[in-house]
Amino acid sequence: MTRTAALLLALAAAPAAAGCSAALGGPVSVTDADTLVIGVKPDQPGLGLRTGEGRFEGFDVDVALYVAGHLGVAEEDVEFTAVTSAQREDVLRSGDVDLVFATYSITEERKSLVGFGGPYYVAHQDILVRADEEGVEGVRGLEGRTLCQGEGSNSADRVIEEKGIGAELHEEPAYGDCIAPLLDGEVDAVTTDDLILAGYLAEEPEGLRLVNAPFTDEQYGVGIAAEDVAGCEEVNRAITLMYQDGTAEELLDRWFGDTGLDLVTSVPQFVGCG
């Protein structure tokens, strides 16, 4: 159980007349944390990947450590835990994690359930196909195709529902599980954020091709408890500083500099807290 969750349970158990919330200085916030549990993806190369040693590495992990340092929490006091797309709201709302950095696109539906700092980067939805696939050069080329997406994601829905493309949906537990079916010809394409796809392409450069035809903006937000407005605002200050001091550009170049993507190194426009 995280420190935040433990404090929330203590507040819930206390008599209402005791005024414990006020005595503890108001709502629990990550700004008061000595340790942090942070949810990241375990299977997205370049973003959040669990190594053979059990460590996590990638752009999301490095951004999370930068934000944690700004909050006054040292790297050794940060615990990373794996989350899937489908788990992100649940682990935040239950207090199992304090923050989520997991290619977590900000949407109105998700904002009704949890809070968001950032975005810390704006990616773009694109398409990954087999290297020998010549019939897909843009989103319209997905008509009649089978698309794979990770459970809990909305990427394929944006193609099928928002773009009106007549494609068939195939779901796997996570996006990493879509790569083998794609290579084997069981599905025709994987469509999600270009940073995610670039990581998989780097691992299978001979077998896969990035169409490089972006068609949405994906605001990567920092998932946080909906009531933690102070924490959200501090996260935004950290992200601003990360871009101003050159760290964001350095991290983007480290993880995606060889992908050919047009990387944006200016501060994203924040969605606002509360």
Side-chain angles (χ1 to χ4, degrees), residues 92-155:
L92 278 168
R93 288 163 64 87
S94 67
D96 289 339
V97 303
D98 300 301
L99 298 169
V100 169
F101 288 77
T103 58
Y104 201 2
S105 296
I106 302 170
T107 68
E108 289 303 316
E109 180 180 1
R110 291 168 179 168
K111 284 170 63 179
S112 69
L113 300 172
V114 300
F116 281 103
Y120 58 91
Y121 192 76
V122 179
H124 306 283
Q125 187 167 342
D126 213 313
I127 305 162
L128 193 68
V129 296
R130 288 180 295 279
D132 59 359
E133 174 60 71
E134 299 179 352
V136 179
E137 299 301 332
V139 68
R140 294 295 164 190
L142 297 175
E143 184 75 33
R145 308 279 185 162
T146 300
L147 310 182
C148 188
Q149 76 171 12
E151 183 182 352
S153 176
N154 61 359
S155 295

Side-chain angles (χ1 to χ4, degrees), residues 23 29 99 103 117 131 136 173 185 200 214 254 267:
S29 172
L99 298 169
T103 58
V136 179
Y200 296 130
R254 176 189 304 172
V267 184

Side-chain angles (χ1 to χ4, degrees), residues 24-105:
L24 289 174
V28 176
S29 172
V30 295
T31 58
D32 302 320
D34 299 317
T35 62
L36 289 170
V37 178
I38 299 179
V40 294
K41 289 291 184 71
D43 64 342
Q44 291 180 342
L47 286 157
L49 184 68
R50 183 161 41 200
T51 68
E53 296 78 30
R55 296 176 55 255
F56 290 88
E57 64 178 22
F59 178 67
D60 281 0
V61 176
D62 286 345
V63 173
L65 288 173
Y66 185 98
V67 171
H70 179 83
L71 293 171
V73 179
E75 181 172 349
E76 59 267 25
D77 294 320
V78 175
E79 177 188 346
F80 287 107
T81 186
V83 297
T84 66
S85 295
Q87 293 170 333
R88 292 175 296 198
E89 286 85 23
D90 292 340
V91 294
L92 278 168
R93 288 163 64 87
S94 67
D96 289 339
V97 303
D98 300 301
L99 298 169
V100 169
F101 288 77
T103 58
Y104 201 2
S105 296

Side-chain angles (χ1 to χ4, degrees), residues 157-219:
D157 294 337
R158 288 185 168 181
V159 172
I160 297 169
E161 297 179 9
E162 295 181 16
K163 298 294 183 181
I165 304 296
E168 181 179 345
L169 174 61
H170 175 93
E171 275 199 325
E172 293 284 351
Y175 271 107
D177 301 314
C178 287
I179 301 306
L182 176 60
L183 289 168
D184 292 342
E186 297 174 26
V187 300
D188 299 306
V190 179
T191 178
T192 189
D193 312 343
D194 50 7
L195 292 189
I196 297 174
L197 298 179
Y200 296 130
L201 177 64
E203 293 201 327
E204 294 282 351
E206 302 301 320
L208 298 173
R209 174 173 68 90
L210 183 64
V211 173
N212 201 18
F215 55 93
T216 69
D217 290 337
E218 303 295 330
Q219 299 174 305

